[in-house]
């Protein structure tokens, strides 16, 4: 069962005592965080461990992820991508020092963003035309969209930061469609996947019933002869 990113907490709250044991995974494009449980997901709703300044630093002030392409040469836009990559890697190192599934989720998603930057930088080294730069930036934003959407929908965001990020995200989608010839369907939403854990039942050992053995009466044989 797949559940939208911001509805998982209502789903968990509706679980009852007789609900089968479940396992959870977070899917954000190429990043999949498996091995999660309801407790680790519930911890995301707590203020402890979440930096409210992460969203603006990660996306709202990161113009490379939403502004129109103003670069005519690859070497002009690579510094912004390198700075974004370095920021993600610094936050990964910070979260890796903390224990708990919650920090593993943040770290895994930020690693995914850093990987997107590496991929974009390699592609820009091969491209030389402005049209090709459009293509690279479009792919970078499409692959990063589900991860950014996760942080936008985080329940501990400040209200003003949330609305500002949503406005930037809508603008990024508009730029992708009007300038990069993208399609709205190219933007994948992050989601939670919920699966019931399979319980291994002990195999019942069945013994084939023995055929009933009836002793023949010797008198019956004599009757049959006569």
């Amino acid at each position: 069962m797949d559940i939208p990113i911001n509805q998982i907490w209502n789903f968990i709250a509706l679980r009852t005592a007789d609900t089968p044991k479940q396992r959870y995974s977070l899917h954000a494009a190429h990043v999949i965080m498996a091995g999660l449980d309801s407790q680790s997901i519930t911890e995301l709703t707590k203020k402890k461990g979440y930096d409210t300044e992460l969203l603006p630093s990660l996306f709202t002030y990161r113009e490379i992820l939403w502004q129109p392409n103003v670069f005519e040469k690859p070497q002009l836009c690579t510094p912004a991508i390198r700075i974004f990559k370095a920021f993600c890697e610094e936050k990964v190192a910070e979260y890796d020092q903390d224990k708990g599934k919650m920090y593993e989720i943040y770290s895994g998603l930020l690693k995914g963003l850093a990987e997107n930057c590496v991929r974009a930088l390699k592609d820009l080294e091969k491209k030389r035309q402005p049209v090709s730069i459009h293509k690279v930036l479009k792919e970078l934003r499409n692959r990063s969209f589900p991860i950014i959407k996760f942080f936008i929908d985080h329940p501990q965001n400040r209200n003003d930061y949330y609305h500002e990020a949503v406005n930037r995200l809508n603008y990024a989608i508009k730029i992708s469609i009007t300038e990069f010839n993208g399609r709205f369907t190219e933007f994948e939403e992050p989601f939670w996947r919920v699966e019931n854990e399979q319980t291994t039942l002990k195999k019942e050992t069945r013994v084939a019933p023995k055929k009933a053995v009836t002793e023949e009466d010797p008198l019956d044989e004599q009757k049959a002869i006569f």
Side-chain angles (χ1 to χ4, degrees), residues 66-103:
W66 52 265
Q67 72 172 356
N69 178 34
V70 295
F71 307 107
E72 295 183 359
K73 297 180 180 180
Q75 58 267 30
L76 296 178
C77 66
T78 52
I81 299 177
R82 293 186 188 278
I83 293 173
F84 181 41
K85 172 179 171 291
F87 173 81
C88 293
E89 291 173 342
E90 288 175 5
K91 296 301 291 185
V92 167
E94 177 184 330
Y95 287 131
D96 283 347
Q97 294 177 358
D98 298 300
K99 295 180 180 180
K101 288 288 184 181
M102 177 178 58
Y103 297 103

Side-chain angles (χ1 to χ4, degrees), residues 5-6 8-9 12 24-26 33 36-52 95 100-107 109 150-151 153-157 192:
I5 199 71
N6 56 357
I8 188 65
W9 295 283
I12 292 175
Y24 302 78
S25 56
L26 173 62
M33 302 297 299
L36 305 176
D37 53 30
S38 59
Q39 181 179 357
S40 61
I41 297 174
T42 302
E43 287 181 355
L44 296 174
T45 62
K46 301 176 182 178
K47 292 183 179 180
K48 179 183 177 181
Y50 182 70
D51 180 9
T52 55
Y95 287 131
K101 288 288 184 181
M102 177 178 58
Y103 297 103
E104 291 180 13
I105 293 174
Y106 300 151
S107 177
L109 293 172
F150 170 88
F151 287 106
D153 288 336
H154 195 286
Q156 289 303 322
N157 280 323
W192 303 93

Side-chain angles (χ1 to χ4, degrees), residues 10 92 160 207:
N10 292 333
V92 167
D160 54 339
V207 180

